[in-house]
Amino acid sequence: MTPLVVAEVVLALIVLVIVGALTFVWARRRYISGDGRPVMLCARRDGEGDRWRLGLARLSSDRFEWFSIVGPSLRPEVAWVRGQLDFGSVSPLSDPIPGLADPVAVLGSSGAATCEFAFVPAAYTAVRAWLESSPPGYKANVA
């Protein structure tokens, strides 16, 4: 094989790997949002000194689930039951988070576990409304 043919084969393989990776990311995102459940960009960090990790937050009737933005897993990295999740007060973030325009941060807790979330303001409003409302029959005896 001539060097030109080898270079063409290597270039074709690189393009194939890039297209395959992008196709996988797209297909994974479609699978996660699957049956029409709301999915939004959301960053998460476990402690004040930790770095923000960008991911996808998914809401269902009874769970708030967080998926890492990259990775092969089709299961949520962490999930919280709706009735046990509590959000504190919201505060604007001065640190930029790539992918989130004008993010706001909120401390979330479920039992002993706590972590901080960052959303765009519209996504935060949607999650807060989901958290404060309840579907028919859910916690029906709450006054």
Side-chain angles (χ1 to χ4, degrees), residues 37 52 55 69 105 123 133 141:
R37 291 182 278 183
W52 287 103
I69 197 80
S133 66
N141 297 326

Side-chain angles (χ1 to χ4, degrees), residues 52-101:
W52 287 103
R53 295 183 54 214
L54 192 61
L56 298 171
R58 178 172 73 182
L59 304 175
S60 67
S61 63
D62 64 340
R63 295 170 63 88
F64 176 86
E65 301 169 324
W66 188 86
F67 298 81
S68 178
I69 197 80
V70 293
S73 179
L74 298 175
R75 294 184 178 182
E77 192 170 311
V78 289
W80 296 270
V81 176
R82 183 181 196 169
Q84 298 172 354
L85 181 62
D86 183 39
F87 277 175
S89 60
V90 66
S91 62
L93 271 177
S94 58
D95 307 345
I97 299 175
L100 295 177

